């Protein structure tokens, strides 16, 4: 018969070992644990657990993947500088050309989102000039197109998407947006010849009518003063009133064109954010 | 014999697991990780790790680091709760320094009330802690109201090299170079544009004088020539410009004064940031 002492000893021994084994987990398990948080969109916890893995894992085998996921998590949280920092760390630990490309594209995407498009273009140029990525040219052009969109250069965006496919969905979209834009110089030139015409062009009919009326009134009074030989009156009305309303009309025409274009851009970005199903930065 | 055999069989698996696996969430490892996060400047995660182990590891350095983390994060409410835990700690004076700095940051405009209401721990004997307290109190007077404090009282807690800066802040506070909005308005009512010139806006002042003068002349000239309609138009325009010139002068003086206040507070902010709110340098990471 087994004594109570023996049973107790065995239970304690096994429980101790079981507890010990349970507490000790491999780096792979820790990685999966962190990845699970990432998959569940719990980005704060994901960053913590990936950082924990990086701190304790002496093999450095997760330096690429963990830093990449930290970067992606920070990106989701809007912490773009931290994201770029960790993507750069991931880039330093890449093992394959594919990983290197993938990481650089992530850095480019963050730069597009935070509108530091100048930096995005530099990185895209460096990728394009690298012969290793010669077969990735379409993807480079795709993100170049996006960078142009965020730089508010829809014409160049269209050209970039066109180089992927002449009927690329985003090329067609960029063209349609570009066609909708108002030409600021044209609006101004119209208002130079006919005050208020620039406002009419941008669809601001009331403002155009008011501008036209003021210019007709002060123009009439100025000319009438000169016709009546009241040169001083004519000069004063012309310079203080007519000229003021005339220049105001030009400024207004340009301002309305800019505002309308901004609205068009915002609507386009809103559409891309919510309705476009392809890859987005 | 069975016991020895069991231990003999299970021991290698135990050793094997130790060599390949890590207890990522053990108390000691959590502390190591928290220290790493703290030194990395990731205070939000560091404080979470420290909070998780503080009940198990009683250590006033951990408590102090938690306080530092909350302070860095601007979570002053949580920071304050940690100060009360430190009464028996060797670091209590450091806790108190941070408490005062946090209190100052949280509500800089009323910090001096701590002094005036004697609402702080006078039991603190450590000079460095009291010195920080008095510096912050002086800064608080400069931010809000001097409350009849003399220059000597305000300047006294500071080091010799900072005293001239504080002294100039005091002089500015006592006699700020404001412009009177009423005087600017009256001047512009007498001579259009002169209120703007008084505020230092010479270009606007001369423009206001010329435009108002011209419109007045045009009104007068048209009345004289019996062009009543045009005369009334110019009179209306002249009156509009004249009123606008008075209103504009008053507003300019107010904006000027607001800028003086802004620059003064900006100077104080800059000084405090340069001095890091008089916080001592803690070296936990080297």
């Amino acid at each position: 018969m087994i004594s109570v002492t023996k049973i107790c000893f065995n239970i304690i021994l096994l429980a101790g070992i079981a507890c010990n084994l349970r507490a000790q987990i491999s780096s792979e398990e820790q990685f999966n644990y962190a990845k699970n948080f990432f998959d569940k969109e719990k980005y704060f916890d994901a960053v913590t657990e990936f950082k924990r893995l990086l701190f304790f894992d002496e093999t450095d085998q997760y330096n690429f993947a963990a830093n990449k996921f930290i970067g992606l998590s920070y990106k989701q949280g809007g912490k773009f500088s931290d994201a770029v920092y960790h993507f750069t760390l991931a880039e330093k630990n890449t093992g394959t050309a594919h990983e290197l490309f993938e990481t650089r594209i992530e850095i480019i995407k963050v730069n597009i989102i935070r509108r530091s498009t100048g930096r995005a273009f530099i990185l895209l140029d460096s990728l394009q000039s690298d012969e290793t990525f010669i077969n990735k040219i379409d993807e480079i052009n795709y993100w170049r197109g996006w960078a142009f969109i965020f730089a508010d250069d829809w014409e160049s965006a269209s050209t970039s998407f066109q180089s992927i496919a002449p009927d690329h969905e985003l090329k067609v979209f960029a063209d349609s947006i570009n066609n909708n834009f108002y030409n600021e110089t044209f609006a101004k030139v119209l208002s130079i010849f006919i005050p208020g015409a620039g406002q009419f062009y941008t669809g601001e009919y009331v403002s155009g009518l008011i501008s036209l009326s003021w210019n007709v009134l002060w123009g009439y009074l100025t000319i009438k003063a000169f016709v009546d030989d009241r040169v001083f009156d004519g000069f004063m009305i012309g310079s203080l009133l007519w000229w003021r309303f005339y220049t105001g009309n030009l400024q207004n025409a340009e301002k309305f064109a800019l505002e309308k274009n901004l609205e068009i851009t915002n609507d386009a970005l809103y559409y891309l954010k919510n309705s476009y199903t392809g890859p987005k930065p | 014999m069975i016991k020895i055999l069991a231990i003999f069989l299970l021991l290698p698996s135990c050793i094997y697991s130790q060599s390949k696996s890590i207890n990522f969430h053990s108390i000691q490892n959590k502390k190591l990780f928290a220290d790493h996060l703290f030194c990395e400047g990731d205070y939000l995660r560091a404080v979470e790790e420290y909070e998780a182990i503080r009940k198990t590891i009683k250590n006033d350095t951990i408590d102090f680091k938690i306080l530092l983390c909350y302070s860095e994060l601007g979570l002053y409410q949580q920071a304050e709760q940690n100060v009360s835990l430190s009464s028996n700690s060797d670091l209590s004076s450091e806790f108190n320094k941070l408490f005062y700095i946090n209190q100052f940051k949280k509500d800089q405009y009323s910090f001096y009330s701590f002094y005036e209401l004697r609402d702080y721990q006078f039991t603190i004997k450590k000079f460095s802690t009291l010195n920080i307290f008095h510096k912050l109190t002086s800064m608080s007077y400069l931010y809000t109201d001097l409350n009849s404090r003399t220059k000597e009282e305000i300047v006294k807690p500071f080091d010799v090299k900072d005293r001239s800066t504080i002294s100039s802040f005091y002089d500015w506070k006592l006699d700020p170079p404001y412009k009177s909005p009423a005087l600017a308005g009256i001047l512009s009512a007498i001579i259009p544009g002169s209120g703007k010139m008084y505020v230092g806006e010479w270009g606007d002042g001369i423009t206001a004088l010329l435009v108002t003068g011209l419109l007045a002349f045009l009104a007068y000239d048209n009345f004289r020539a019996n062009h009543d309609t045009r005369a009334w138009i110019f009179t209306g325009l002249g009156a509009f410009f004249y009123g606008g010139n008075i209103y504009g002068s008053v507003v300019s003086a107010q904006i000027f004064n607001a800028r003086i206040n802004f620059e003064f507070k900006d100077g104080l902010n800059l000084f405090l940031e340069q001095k890091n709110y008089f916080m001592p340098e803690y070296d936990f990471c080297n």
Side-chain angles (χ1 to χ4, degrees), chain B residues 80 96 99-122 133-134 136-137 140-141:
Chain B
E80 213 169 294
N96 279 313
F99 170 70
Y100 292 140
I101 292 166
N102 285 342
Q103 199 65 27
F104 181 81
K105 284 182 181 172
K106 195 172 90 176
D107 195 4
Q108 55 192 214
Y109 302 114
S110 65
F111 186 77
Y112 68 90
S113 64
F114 272 69
Y115 181 82
E116 294 198 341
L117 299 171
R118 298 289 186 266
D119 190 15
Y120 68 97
Q121 299 171 43
F122 276 99
F133 175 81
H134 285 124
L136 292 171
T137 306
S140 175
Y141 280 123

Side-chain angles (χ1 to χ4, degrees), chain A residues 106-160:
Chain A
E106 285 303 334
I107 296 173
I108 288 164
K109 281 156 75 175
V110 173
N111 277 299
I112 291 172
I113 290 178
R114 65 176 178 183
R115 286 190 183 246
S116 46
T117 47
R119 178 74 191 140
F121 287 128
I122 291 170
L123 293 170
L124 284 162
D125 288 343
S126 78
L127 279 181
Q128 196 160 1
S129 59
D130 192 333
E131 286 181 3
T132 321
F133 307 120
I134 200 86
N135 58 341
K136 303 269 190 185
I137 200 75
D138 279 353
E139 198 173 338
I140 293 169
N141 279 326
Y142 182 79
W143 294 116
R144 192 185 291 281
W146 272 97
F148 278 123
I149 287 176
F150 274 74
D152 209 17
D153 183 354
W154 294 81
E155 202 173 339
S156 303
S158 167
T159 313
S160 290

